[in-house]
């Protein structure tokens, strides 16, 4: 009987765990749970006899692969797989997949929720502003970016996007205005929402020069990864420009330094973007189905370490 380990430092909603167990049971597989673990050793012990692993942002490095002699597949139940050492996975002959799009709506809803919270002065009772008519710039038009565009249009916002890999024609076909560079996006928009993955090219790419292109009163919102922000440069800019706001779903390394920008900075204490029952069900069940498809039929759709 194949064994699937669901290792989630930040647990799924119980209903999603039940859904994963149902999919596994139908295939005759066993599911074991490791939730809210605090020590890496707990993960190393738990992977020792499993065939498949489902994780979220849990760090899966070479040491984990070394400890998992039977492991054949890891599915990151979510979009970004920067938490998984793909080179080590390939070296251990382990297939890695993600579940693209499954939690995109949840993240996009959080973006608009955080924006309402921000333009209403964090609900402090003072008169704020509205999102209607404001220009929002979406940096990277993937699954989350597209959902943000759709919801922002519902708010009556003027929606722009830049994506280095998605053709302008695809963006425009969606009724979103494509711009020619990220510089132009920052120059033109009142709000910029980040949806780029953390890659060697994007790490620290949101820097002083880029954010300083924003107009007076600009809002930068990050529901992507903290690694894409050049934190020392953003801190310096926020010291110099008292009009800028930074809103994030990923606690910065220098959180204490950002805290001093009262009324201009907000971070969720723990990444909340994908933390809905629906997103957990979608991503978790997709992950379980992908494992069954791979172990039964060798299906490698969504493999990311090809
Ligand atoms: C993702 O990459 O799918 C999101 O950042 C969600 O991450 P999480 O599963 O750790 O909440």
């Amino acid at each position: 009987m194949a064994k699937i380990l669901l290792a989630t430092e930040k647990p799924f909603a119980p209903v999603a765990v039940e859904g994963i167990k149902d999919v596994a049971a139908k295939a005759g597989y066993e599911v074991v749970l490791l939730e809210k673990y605090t020590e890496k050793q707990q993960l190393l012990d738990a992977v020792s006899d499993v065939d498949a692993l489902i994780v979220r942002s849990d760090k899966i490095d070479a040491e984990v692969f070394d400890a998992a002699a039977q492991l054949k597949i890891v599915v990151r139940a979510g979009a970004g797989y920067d938490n998984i050492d793909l080179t080590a996975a390939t070296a251990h002959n382990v297939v890695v997949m993600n579940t693209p799009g499954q939690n995109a709506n949840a993240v996009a809803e959080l973006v608009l929720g955080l924006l309402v919270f921000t333009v209403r002065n964090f609900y402090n009772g003072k008169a704020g502003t509205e999102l209607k008519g404001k220009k929002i710039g979406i940096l990277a038009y993937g699954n989350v970016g597209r959902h943000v565009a759709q919801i922002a249009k519902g708010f009556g916002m003027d929606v722009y996007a830049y994506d280095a890999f998605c053709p302008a024609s695809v963006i425009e076909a969606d009724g979103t205005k494509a711009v020619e560079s990220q510089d132009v996006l920052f120059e033109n928009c009142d709000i910029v929402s980040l949806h780029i993955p953390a890659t060697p090219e994007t790490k620290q790419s949101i820097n002083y020069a880029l954010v300083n292109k924003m107009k007076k009163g600009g809002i930068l919102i990050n529901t992507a990864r903290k690694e894409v922000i050049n934190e020392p440069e953003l801190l310096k800019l926020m010291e110099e420009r008292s009009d800028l706001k930074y809103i994030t779903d990923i606690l910065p390394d220098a959180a204490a330094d950002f805290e001093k920008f009262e009324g201009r900075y907000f971070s969720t204490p723990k990444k909340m973007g994908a933390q809905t029952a629906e997103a957990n069900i979608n991503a978790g069940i997709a992950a379980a189905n992908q494992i069954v498809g791979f172990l039964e039929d060798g299906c490698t759709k969504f493999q990311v370490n090809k």
Side-chain angles (χ1 to χ4, degrees):
M1 181 194 271
K3 201 168 178 181
I4 304 175
L5 173 68
L6 176 59
T8 48
E9 181 272 324
K10 184 173 61 183
F12 278 144
V15 62
V17 176
E18 288 314 308
I20 291 168
K21 284 184 177 167
D22 283 350
V23 172
K26 285 196 185 99
Y29 298 175
E30 184 191 355
V31 175
V32 285
L33 287 185
L34 177 68
E35 293 181 321
K36 292 189 191 172
Y37 57 95
T38 49
E39 305 298 329
K40 186 175 185 186
Q41 191 58 48
Q42 294 172 272
L43 178 62
L44 296 177
D45 292 342
V47 295
S48 64
D49 62 346
V50 301
D51 303 280
L53 176 59
I54 299 175
V55 293
R56 299 185 67 175
S57 290
D58 307 76
K59 202 168 165 46
I60 306 301
D61 60 14
E63 201 183 352
V64 178
F65 287 110
D66 286 341
Q70 276 178 226
L71 190 63
K72 296 161 192 73
I73 176 167
V74 178
V75 183
R76 191 286 190 238
Y81 45 87
D82 47 305
N83 52 316
I84 299 175
D85 184 336
L86 297 187
T87 309
T90 305
H92 286 79
N93 214 13
V94 175
V95 165
V96 180
M97 297 184 186
N98 65 349
T99 64
Q102 299 290 351
N103 58 21
N105 184 65
V107 181
E109 285 191 12
L110 186 76
V111 171
L112 275 296
L114 286 171
L115 286 176
V116 172
F117 177 60
T118 304
V119 298
R120 297 302 183 96
N121 299 316
F122 304 157
Y123 305 149
N124 70 358
K126 293 190 184 142
T129 57
E130 298 181 19
L131 292 174
K132 187 174 179 180
K134 299 287 185 308
K135 291 182 178 174
I136 183 168
I138 297 170
L139 185 56
Y141 209 62
N143 288 305
V144 181
R146 284 162 213 233
H147 278 78
V148 171
Q150 189 188 20
I151 302 170
K153 284 170 204 159
F155 273 81
M157 300 184 81
D158 198 6
V159 184
Y160 294 76
Y162 173 73
D163 190 309
F165 304 99
C166 178
S169 56
V170 173
I171 295 173
E172 298 274 345
D174 236 7
T176 298
K177 294 170 187 125
V179 298
E180 63 269 31
S181 67
Q182 59 179 17
D183 284 8
V184 173
L185 197 73
F186 276 78
E187 270 157 25
N188 278 354
C189 295
D190 305 294
I191 296 162
V192 172
S193 188
L194 303 176
H195 303 290
I196 44 177
T199 66
E201 294 73 37
T202 63
K203 279 184 183 165
Q204 310 251 321
S205 65
I206 308 303
N207 56 23
Y208 182 101
L210 185 62
V211 183
N212 198 25
K213 292 184 188 299
M214 291 191 86
K215 300 184 236 192
K216 192 165 188 302
I219 301 171
L220 176 65
I221 178 161
N222 182 12
T223 54
R225 291 289 181 270
K226 71 176 174 197
E227 289 81 4
V228 303
I229 304 285
N230 185 322
E231 286 188 15
E233 293 194 16
L234 183 59
L235 280 167
K236 178 171 160 5
L237 183 62
M238 287 182 72
E239 300 266 7
E240 289 173 19
R241 281 187 53 177
S242 60
D243 61 298
L244 287 177
K245 293 190 172 78
Y246 180 51
I247 309 301
T248 179
D249 187 32
I250 317 98
L251 199 66
D253 289 332
D257 294 324
F258 280 99
E259 289 290 346
K260 66 182 175 233
F261 302 118
E262 211 192 321
R264 301 200 283 131
Y265 163 77
F266 175 80
S267 176
T268 54
K270 195 156 198 165
K271 191 157 57 129
M272 292 299 297
Q275 200 59 328
T276 66
E278 293 88 340
N280 294 170
I281 292 167
N282 293 344
I285 291 179
N289 279 321
Q290 287 171 218
I291 287 169
V292 174
F294 174 71
L295 293 179
E296 299 301 314
D297 305 319
C299 176
T300 55
K301 193 173 173 195
F302 302 121
Q303 184 176 355
V304 293
N305 63 332
K306 276 182 178 160

